[in-house]
């Protein structure tokens, strides 16, 4: 059995099967990305003022990556042209160039662009007075500091307005006052987020009080003894009905003890012994986790936030302390931060998956198993590279749409 | 090279290759029957899975019907089994819990649509019949075809496994509306989404393959207007799948992000669940999910019905022994229908408050799309006029398709107008409407297709007697199930109530003061009769199942390769067709349905028969 038109085009359609197939596949891809872009439009149009986190992207890096992809699109055509002339060495040269571009693109995205965002936090507070106070503490020096061009000496509010109106409230700038009015509203109501890096926090050190042992819990005495010994307690004392306290455990140890001893039939109560300052740059914190109740007190007492736009020009950022009881929500620049970051990671992630798939196919076509087709049937192999090129151009084109809507607009 | 010389040359080549493959495959069971790239084997794999899931999906609803008729009572036979399999909090004492009802309801819809009818009507018949009907040796991409089946299979495994995870399978209906689908704490919905992504991938691979095959693999002389209508129907269906499924894939990815990475694409600002603020950014749009979902799910209705119409057209032409009336109208209608299918989706969303302008637009397009549908049905109906009809089993099912689909289609009109939809929305009327389209519509067409092409697949006919038993009992019970639902719906009974509406019935003492809108005893009583009909319907399928398997070995042997004396190319192959299909060079000289051509020697002139 021989399937027709796998290599030579069918005269009346002018297409060989592979090319027809890839065009149809790309039509479905257009609908896939089209649906995501449409979702972007609908979500953005429906977004409340100040909730669309625009203007935060590094345009230079994005533009650089755009150039890398465009170059790769050119190389993929050159590789195909070399094959058309029967030059396998030339094909390999340009194909390696294409692969190098694709890898560079992903490296920039996955080792620089994304991780950088995962440690950068926005913090929303529940008290307007605290918000204003925090801004005051964080930006007073910077607002007063003269710059090379002019003596600054502006108020903190004006300083903050200066950079907020170029991002969150940018979309409101239909008239010259639109964005300012929106900013004022957010400033007055205290819904403005504080942005920066978390440099440390005060975390609870926990006392675990072990109470009565319930003999009916379905656990033998020996097992209970083992559990309490493993947790660092006095076994005999515990089983005699006396209470004891496992002192000053860190959070993980306390939680483990609570679980294990609870399973073993003990009555367990956690309480905060004291708070300890920790220097750390946490990833992906969750508000409920920060505010987790431990004997009536929060797990994290306060956080140290180094505010954006507060640097003294020498790399030192102003740090402020925020009590977690004032925090209504905090989120890194991760997908859950806002619908903008959600759609940003979804579309760029799906695009990156396409780039990764492309790299795999390109590598296959460089390996002996792929090249064997060239040695058997040159035209078939050349066609393969052509259809791959069509796919690669599409991936490039998606980025050309994606870059302006996510980085610039 | 002249046509003739080329033809002889290739014929020899084909035969040589054919022999090689026979020899090669004889040794490899796995490559021949399991990981096969042969379109016919893949078609049968799809068909077997599709029919199995149709049966399974039907069992789910048959179980649910107990809960609706006898809420709070233990289900006989099945109840203890459910309790043992799924746990006593799900089915305590063999009584179906409301959660389990929701699981079964959501999965009944999902299984019937995506794992039952699409594989059986589109993938199975499409795979088996389309390459044969266009005179191709196989699909354009046999390995992609295999990948498509295994993606489907994998998706089905994920869906099936999800019944047994803690909390059970998806519960938010087959439509999976957010925020409900997002905030349900169990993992069933996540499995559902991953399963759907696999099923969608399968459909996309299949659609690309069908389109490339039909465009590029037609035999010489098989011009576009010589394609059998079934091929046209499959062609448009493949386009619908190709272009409508990706938006649902996008929606699935977004909902998966919502569930796994806590984004809020479909969660509005200020969402409170169970009295607790949800820790999400908000700013999402529940309406967005509905748009993306229905952008697929409406064209999906045509994905379900078009292959059925194609099958019915083939069988009617064959058994009336005359050409289909208005073949070009049919083709034109199906193309127009394909286009319009993309711009009617929001008629499912009149109740969301989209605004009157948008409602008016979608109301207009919805009414427009009824025109090509009516043309197709009318053409098929007129085709019967003056024919000397052979009433065999496939023909009985095909004939029943016409009025049944007619009822389904016409009862859709009140749902297409937004003013009447307001009253009927989400009621049993809607259920009755779309089940008339897909159950006695598409599923009857699937049965018709099985009886019709079975001789080609196996070389034997299915029992005619048991076929008739199957047909008449199915027809009667089908109507006993769905006809009363129109009455229930118009009386105001909502769908998705595990107690069958008992909460809102007059019999409920809480409703003693209710003067308008409570469900009367008559309406409630219909629950019991519908359920009884549903179980009888299940029994009515037994003759079919036995007939299907029994006839593979013991059915009446067919005398020729063309037992129905049909004109289309699938009957030009040996029976069953070998790998590579045709043993002679195929060239097409005629239109698809040249039956009873005046002056011809026989009452059918096959497409491959040279014109004198």
């Amino acid at each position: 059995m021989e399937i027709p038109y796998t290599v030579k085009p069918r005269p009346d359609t002018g297409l060989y099967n592979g090319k027809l197939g890839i065009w149809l596949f790309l039509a479905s891809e257009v609908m896939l990305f089209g649906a995501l872009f449409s979702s972007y439009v609908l979500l953005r149009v429906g977004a409340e003022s100040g909730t669309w986190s625009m203007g935060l992207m590094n345009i230079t890096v994005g533009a650089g990556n755009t150039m890398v992809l465009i170059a790769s699109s050119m190389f993929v055509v050159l590789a195909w042209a070399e094959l058309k002339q029967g030059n396998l060495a030339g094909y390999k040269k340009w194909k390696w160039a294409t692969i190098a571009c694709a890898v560079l693109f992903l490296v920039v995205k996955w080792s620089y662009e994304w991780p950088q965002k995962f440690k950068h936090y926005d913090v929303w507070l529940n008290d307007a007075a605290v918000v204003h106070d925090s801004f005051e503490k964080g930006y007073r020096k910077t607002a007063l500091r003269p710059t090379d061009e002019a003596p600054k000496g502006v108020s903190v509010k004006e300083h903050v307005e200066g950079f907020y109106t170029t991002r969150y409230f940018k979309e409101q700038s239909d008239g010259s006052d639109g964005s300012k009015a929106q900013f004022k509203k957010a400033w007055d109501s205290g819904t403005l987020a504080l942005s920066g890096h978390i440099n440390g926090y005060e975390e609870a050190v926990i006392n675990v009080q072990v109470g009565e042992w319930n003999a009916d819990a379905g656990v033998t005495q020996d097992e209970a003894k083992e559990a309490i010994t493993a947790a660092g307690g006095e076994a005999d004392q515990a089983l005699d009905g006396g209470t004891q306290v496992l002192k000053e455990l860190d959070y993980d140890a306390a939680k483990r003890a609570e679980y294990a001893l609870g399973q073993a039939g003990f009555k367990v109560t956690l309480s905060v012994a004291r708070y300890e300052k920790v220097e750390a740059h946490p990833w992906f914190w969750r508000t409920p986790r920060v505010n987790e109740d431990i004997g009536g007190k929060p797990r994290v007492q306060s956080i140290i936030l180094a505010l954006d736009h507060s640097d003294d020009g020498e790399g030192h950022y102003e740090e402020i302390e925020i009590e977690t009881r004032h925090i209504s929500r905090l989120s890194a620049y991760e997908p859950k931060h806002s619908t903008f970051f959600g759609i940003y990671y979804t579309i760029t992630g799906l695009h990156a998956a396409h780039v990764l798939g492309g790299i795999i196919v390109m590598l296959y076509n460089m390996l002996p198993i792929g090249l064997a087709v060239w040695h058997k049937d040159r035209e078939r192999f050349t066609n393969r590279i052509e259809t791959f090129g069509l796919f690669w151009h599409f991936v490039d084109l998606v980025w050309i749409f994606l870059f302006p809507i996510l980085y610039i607009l | 090279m002249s046509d003739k010389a080329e033809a002889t040359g290739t014929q020899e080549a084909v035969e040589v290759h054919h022999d090689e493959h026979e020899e090669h495959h004889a040794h490899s069971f796995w490559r021949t029957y399991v990981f096969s790239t042969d379109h016919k084997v893949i078609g049968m794999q799809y068909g077997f899975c599709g029919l199995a899931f149709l049966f399974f999906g039907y069992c789910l609803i048959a179980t649910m019907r107990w809960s609706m008729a006898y809420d709070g009572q233990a289900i006989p036979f099945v109840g203890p089994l459910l309790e043992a399999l799924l746990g006593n909090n799900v089915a305590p004492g063999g009584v179906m819990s409301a959660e389990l009802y929701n699981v079964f309801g959501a999965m009944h819809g999902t299984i019937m649509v995506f794992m039952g009818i699409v594989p059986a009507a589109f993938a199975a018949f499409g795979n088996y019949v389309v390459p044969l009907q266009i005179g191709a040796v196989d699909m354009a991409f046999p390995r992609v075809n295999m990948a498509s089946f295994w993606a489907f299979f994998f998706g089905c495994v994920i869906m099936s496994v999800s019944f047994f995870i803690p909390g059970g399978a998806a519960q938010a209906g087959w439509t999976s509306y957010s925020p409900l689908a997002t905030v349900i704490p169990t993992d069933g919905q996540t499995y559902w989404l991953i399963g759907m992504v696999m099923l969608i991938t399968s459909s996309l691979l299949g659609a690309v393959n069908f389109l490339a095959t039909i465009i590029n693999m037609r035999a010489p002389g098989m011009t576009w207007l010589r394609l059998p209508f079934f091929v046209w129907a499959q062609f448009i269906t493949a386009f619908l799948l190709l272009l409508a499924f990706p938006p649902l894939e996008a929606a699935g990815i977004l909902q998966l992000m919502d569930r796994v990475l806590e984004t809020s694409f479909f969660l509005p600002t200020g969402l409170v669940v169970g009295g607790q603020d949800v820790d999400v950014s908000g700013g999402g749009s529940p309406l967005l999910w509905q748009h993306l979902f229905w952008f697929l799910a409406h064209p999906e209705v045509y994905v379900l019905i078009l292959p059925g119409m194609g099958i019915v057209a083939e069988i009617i032409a064959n058994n009336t022994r005359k050409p289909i009336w208005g073949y070009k109208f049919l083709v034109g209608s199906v193309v127009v229908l394909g286009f319009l299918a993309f711009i009617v989706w929001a008629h499912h969303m009149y109740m969301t408050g989209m605004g009157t302008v948008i409602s008016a637009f979608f109301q207009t397009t919805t009414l427009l799309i009824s025109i090509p549908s009516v043309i197709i049905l009318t053409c098929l109906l007129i085709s019967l006029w003056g024919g000397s009809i052979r009433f065999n089993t496939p023909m009985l099912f095909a004939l029943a398709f016409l009025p049944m689909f007619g009822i389904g289609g016409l009862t859709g009109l009140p749902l297409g107008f937004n003013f009447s939809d307001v009253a009927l929305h989400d009621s049993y009327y809607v259920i009755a409407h779309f089940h008339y389209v897909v159950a006695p519509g598409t599923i009857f067409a699937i049965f018709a297709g099985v009886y019709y092409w079975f001789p080609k697949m196996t070389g034997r006919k299915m029992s005619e007697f048991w076929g008739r038993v199957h047909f008449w009992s199915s027809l009667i019970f089908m109507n006993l199930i769905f006809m009363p639902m129109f009455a229930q719906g118009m009386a105001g009974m909502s769908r998705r109530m595990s107690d069958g509406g008992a909460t809102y019935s007059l019999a409920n003492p809480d409703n003693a003061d209710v003067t308008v809108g409570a469900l009367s005893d008559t309406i409630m009583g219909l629950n019991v009769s519908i359920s009884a009909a549903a179980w009888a319907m299940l029994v009515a399928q037994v003759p079919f199942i036995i007939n299907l398997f029994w006839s593979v070995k013991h059915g009446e042997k067919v005398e020729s390769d063309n037992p129905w004396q049909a004109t289309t190319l699938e009957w030009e192959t040996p029976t069953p067709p070998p790998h590579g299909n045709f043993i002679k060079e195929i060239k097409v000289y005629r239109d698809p349905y040249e039956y009873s051509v005046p002056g011809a020697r026989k009452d059918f002139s096959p497409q491959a028969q040279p014109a004198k």
Side-chain angles (χ1 to χ4, degrees):
Chain A
M1 184 190 78
E2 193 83 38
I3 292 176
Y5 314 119
T6 48
V7 179
K8 295 277 182 216
R10 180 180 165 115
D12 60 344
T13 60
L15 295 162
Y16 56 86
N17 294 344
K19 201 187 224 175
L20 178 58
I22 201 80
W23 276 114
L24 291 166
F25 171 69
L26 291 183
S28 87
E29 291 276 87
V30 166
M31 294 304 287
L32 176 64
F33 281 99
L36 289 172
F37 284 136
S38 309
S39 304
Y40 166 93
V41 171
L42 195 132
L43 290 169
R44 178 161 183 173
V45 167
E48 281 174 53
S49 150
T51 59
W52 197 260
S53 324
M54 57 187 34
L56 300 170
M57 294 291 148
N58 189 332
I59 295 179
T60 320
V61 174
N65 249 355
T66 310
M67 297 317 292
V68 168
L69 267 196
I70 291 176
S72 79
S73 245
M74 190 176 73
F75 297 151
V76 89
V77 177
L78 290 171
W80 175 62
E82 295 285 357
L83 283 183
K84 276 281 187 191
Q85 293 166 26
N87 181 1
L88 192 64
Y91 155 78
K92 283 184 179 167
K93 181 178 73 181
W94 292 119
K95 205 67 178 181
W96 280 124
T98 318
I99 294 172
C101 285
V103 170
L104 176 64
F105 176 88
L106 288 185
V107 166
V108 168
K109 177 170 301 297
W110 284 342
S111 73
Y112 176 72
E113 279 196 290
W114 283 15
Q116 188 201 33
K117 293 179 177 62
F118 294 155
K119 286 187 185 175
H120 187 282
Y121 280 82
D122 267 358
V123 184
W124 289 267
L125 305 184
N126 48 22
D127 185 339
V130 184
V131 176
H132 296 155
D133 190 42
S134 304
F135 274 123
E136 196 65 36
K137 277 185 196 146
Y139 289 118
R140 191 187 298 130
K141 279 191 207 157
T142 343
L144 293 173
R145 187 178 301 124
T147 57
D148 292 344
E149 295 92 51
K152 265 280 217 34
V154 294
S155 74
V156 166
K157 187 181 165 189
E158 283 168 314
H159 175 68
V160 173
E161 185 177 356
F163 56 82
Y164 266 89
T165 44
T166 61
R167 31 192 268 200
Y168 281 98
F169 302 107
K170 202 170 153 195
E171 89 267 34
Q172 301 296 333
S173 53
D174 36 355
S176 57
D177 279 350
S179 58
K180 291 192 173 179
Q182 292 295 336
F183 171 79
K184 185 175 183 310
K185 209 171 126 200
W187 171 273
D188 290 345
S189 60
T191 54
L192 221 48
L194 297 151
S195 323
H197 290 85
I198 293 178
N199 284 347
Y201 47 90
E202 277 186 288
E203 192 173 32
V205 178
I206 299 168
N207 283 344
V208 179
Q209 186 185 330
V210 186
E212 242 172 85
W213 183 62
N214 177 8
D216 303 331
V219 179
T220 65
Q221 277 209 354
D222 288 344
E223 284 169 337
K225 272 186 189 173
E226 210 173 288
I228 187 101
T229 317
E234 278 292 328
D236 296 332
Q237 189 189 346
L239 292 180
D240 290 344
T243 60
Q244 58 177 313
V245 177
L246 307 175
K247 284 210 174 100
E248 307 219 330
L249 302 180
D250 66 20
Y251 176 83
D252 288 343
K255 277 290 173 185
R256 269 200 299 274
E258 183 188 25
Y259 176 77
L261 296 176
Q263 289 289 306
F266 290 100
K267 190 174 182 305
V268 187
T269 330
L270 301 190
S271 62
V272 175
R274 60 187 170 82
Y275 284 97
E276 192 175 61
K277 282 211 164 133
V278 185
E279 260 188 55
H281 305 277
W283 295 50
F284 306 127
W285 260 12
R286 294 282 179 274
T287 320
R289 206 174 126 202
V290 171
N291 283 333
E292 189 179 331
D293 182 280
I294 295 167
K297 287 184 175 167
R299 174 178 167 190
V300 175
Q301 165 114 313
S302 66
I303 60 172
I304 307 293
L305 193 66
L307 288 170
D308 295 345
H309 302 277
S310 69
D311 58 310
D312 55 5
E314 287 158 23
H316 176 75
Y317 287 79
E318 204 66 52
E319 287 183 346
I320 55 170
E321 189 172 353
I322 301 171
E323 285 182 53
T324 50
R325 67 193 168 95
H326 293 306
I327 295 178
S328 63
R329 182 162 189 266
L330 93 172
S331 171
Y333 286 176
E334 56 178 306
K336 70 171 297 213
H337 173 275
S338 54
T339 35
F340 169 78
F341 276 105
I343 202 96
Y344 165 79
Y345 286 108
T346 310
I347 300 187
T348 57
L350 198 62
H351 177 265
H354 279 74
V355 174
L356 190 64
I359 291 174
I360 292 167
V361 173
M362 284 193 279
L363 286 175
Y364 177 85
N365 282 331
M366 295 296 273
L367 293 174
I369 183 173
L371 290 172
V373 178
W374 167 261
H375 299 301
K376 226 167 67 187
D377 184 347
R378 290 189 167 198
E379 197 173 354
R380 178 188 289 261
F381 187 74
T382 311
N383 284 351
R384 266 191 193 178
I385 302 306
E386 188 189 13
T387 48
F388 174 78
L390 289 170
F391 168 77
W392 196 248
H393 289 327
F394 172 80
V395 174
D396 190 13
L397 191 67
V398 168
W399 182 263
I400 303 275
F401 278 94
L402 184 161
F403 174 62
I405 68 159
L406 292 175
Y407 284 72
I408 299 174
L409 286 177
Chain B
M1 196 189 285
S2 76
D3 271 2
K4 207 171 178 184
E6 193 180 39
T8 356
T10 330
Q11 188 178 339
E12 280 164 15
V14 166
E15 277 170 7
V16 170
H17 278 284
H18 172 64
D19 291 345
E20 276 173 10
H21 276 273
E22 285 289 277
E23 218 169 312
H24 171 69
H25 281 272
H27 300 293
S28 163
F29 170 82
W30 289 96
R31 292 293 294 186
T32 315
Y33 296 106
V34 183
F35 297 103
S36 172
T37 56
D38 183 353
H39 71 100
K40 298 180 292 297
V41 177
I42 294 174
M44 287 195 273
Q45 288 174 325
Y46 265 120
F48 188 78
C49 288
L51 289 175
F53 275 113
L54 281 177
F55 184 75
F56 177 54
Y58 193 80
C59 289
L60 294 182
I61 196 69
T63 318
M64 290 162 71
R65 285 303 318 182
W66 177 270
S67 176
M68 299 180 70
Y70 307 104
D71 181 44
Q73 298 181 30
I75 312 169
F77 315 119
V78 184
L81 189 68
L82 289 177
E83 190 180 10
L85 277 177
L86 302 173
N88 61 1
N89 53 341
V90 179
V95 178
M96 177 176 258
S97 65
E99 287 75 21
L100 186 63
Y101 182 90
N102 285 342
V103 167
F104 278 19
M107 295 310 284
H108 165 74
T110 307
I111 287 172
M112 286 304 205
V113 171
F114 298 109
M115 293 149 71
I117 294 184
V118 172
F122 173 71
F125 288 115
N127 258 305
Y128 198 96
V129 176
V130 166
L132 296 178
Q133 280 196 335
I134 64 172
V137 292
D138 203 316
M139 298 286 265
F141 310 111
R143 273 181 293 181
V144 172
N145 205 13
M146 182 175 78
S148 164
F149 174 75
W150 288 104
F152 162 76
F153 188 82
F154 191 49
C156 291
V157 169
I158 294 174
M159 290 284 191
S160 309
V161 163
S162 74
F163 279 96
F164 300 100
I165 62 169
Q171 296 183 33
W174 81 285
T175 51
S176 288
Y177 278 9
S178 271
L180 178 65
T182 316
V183 300
I184 286 180
T186 55
D187 287 333
Q189 186 66 21
T190 309
Y191 277 66
W192 187 88
L193 289 166
I194 296 171
M196 280 306 290
V197 169
M198 296 308 299
L199 296 178
I200 293 170
T201 307
S202 157
S203 282
L204 290 177
L205 294 175
V208 167
N209 215 345
F210 275 75
L211 292 168
T213 304
I214 296 172
I215 294 171
N216 243 21
M217 305 273 287
R218 283 167 290 122
M222 181 58 93
T223 57
W224 287 99
L225 286 180
R226 279 181 180 167
L227 289 176
F229 181 65
F230 177 70
V231 176
W232 267 107
Q234 293 283 358
F235 185 66
I236 300 300
T237 306
F239 259 115
L240 293 176
L241 285 175
L242 183 79
L243 300 177
F245 246 141
L248 183 65
E249 187 153 31
I253 292 169
L254 295 179
Q255 200 177 69
L256 205 55
M257 293 280 287
D258 275 5
R259 285 189 63 88
V260 178
L261 293 178
E262 304 173 50
T263 56
S264 47
F265 292 117
F266 304 127
L267 304 180
T269 306
L271 182 67
V272 175
V273 175
Q276 292 267 308
D277 284 337
V278 185
D279 176 35
V280 292
S281 70
S285 164
L287 210 55
L288 175 61
W289 167 266
Q290 297 188 26
H291 278 298
L292 292 173
F293 180 83
W294 287 114
F295 190 85
L296 158 85
H298 195 81
E300 180 76 13
V301 173
Y302 298 98
V303 169
L304 302 181
I305 196 67
L306 289 183
M309 287 173 162
I311 294 170
V312 167
E314 296 301 306
I315 292 170
I316 285 185
N318 177 255
N319 288 306
T320 55
R321 313 306 293 166
K322 62 198 265 297
I324 284 287
W325 192 89
Y327 169 81
K328 285 184 184 169
F329 274 120
L330 281 177
V331 172
S333 298
V334 81
V335 172
V336 170
L337 203 135
F339 277 113
L340 287 176
F342 284 102
I343 49 170
V344 299
W345 79 89
H347 66 216
H348 295 269
M349 300 162 58
Y350 288 144
M351 296 291 275
T352 59
M354 296 180 297
T356 48
V357 177
I358 297 178
S359 289
F361 172 81
F362 282 102
Q363 177 172 303
T364 311
T365 53
T366 303
L367 273 287
L368 279 179
I369 206 172
S370 62
I371 296 172
S373 315
V374 167
I375 291 177
I376 292 174
L377 200 60
T378 311
C379 287
L380 293 176
L381 210 57
I382 297 178
S383 299
L384 303 175
W385 192 268
S388 65
I389 299 176
R390 302 192 304 207
F391 288 99
N392 46 32
T393 311
M395 187 59 173
L396 288 175
F397 275 106
L399 286 173
F401 172 94
L402 302 178
M404 294 294 108
F405 174 73
I407 293 173
L410 292 174
T411 52
L413 294 178
L415 300 171
F417 290 111
N418 78 54
F419 54 85
S420 40
D421 179 65
V422 168
L424 296 170
H425 196 91
D426 250 354
S427 73
Y428 263 84
Y429 182 91
V430 179
I431 295 200
H433 154 66
F434 70 72
H435 279 92
Y436 260 103
V437 174
V438 286
T442 304
I443 292 180
F444 272 18
I446 291 173
F447 286 144
V450 171
Y451 286 103
Y452 182 65
W453 279 301
F454 190 84
K456 180 50 54 182
M457 299 178 186
T458 61
R460 289 169 192 271
K461 283 191 179 181
M462 289 172 73
S463 155
E464 193 65 19
F465 172 77
W466 288 110
R468 277 159 206 263
V469 171
H470 176 216
F471 168 73
W472 285 109
S473 52
S474 294
L475 181 68
I476 291 165
F477 294 131
M478 198 67 98
N479 283 286
L480 286 178
I481 294 171
F482 294 117
M483 197 57 86
M485 288 188 188
F486 285 119
Q488 288 190 320
M490 284 189 283
M493 187 185 281
S494 289
R495 53 195 294 204
R496 293 183 179 149
M497 291 188 300
S498 61
D499 62 358
T503 315
Y504 303 101
S505 73
L506 279 173
N508 183 350
D510 294 346
N511 295 333
D513 303 333
V514 180
T515 49
V516 179
L519 301 168
S520 70
D521 291 349
T522 323
I523 292 297
M524 290 301 295
L526 288 176
N527 273 341
V528 178
S529 76
I530 292 173
S531 295
W535 302 322
M537 179 79 178
L538 194 62
V539 177
Q541 303 316 303
V542 174
F544 171 70
I545 297 168
I546 295 174
N547 195 354
L548 186 69
F549 288 106
W550 188 82
S551 301
V552 174
K553 279 264 152 59
H554 308 287
E556 178 202 338
K557 269 198 173 165
V558 293
E559 302 290 311
S560 77
D561 289 334
N562 189 358
W564 305 113
Q565 303 188 308
T567 53
T568 42
L569 290 184
E570 74 267 36
W571 307 103
E572 300 291 329
T573 63
T575 307
H579 196 51
N581 298 341
F582 298 93
I583 51 170
K584 58 183 179 190
E585 178 74 358
I586 283 294
K587 208 162 167 15
V588 175
Y589 302 93
R590 293 165 184 277
D591 287 346
Y593 307 112
E594 296 210 353
Y595 288 101
S596 307
V597 179
R601 201 157 39 83
K602 285 182 282 184
D603 75 339
F604 67 106
S605 311
Q607 285 190 282
Q609 176 183 310
K612 287 277 160 62

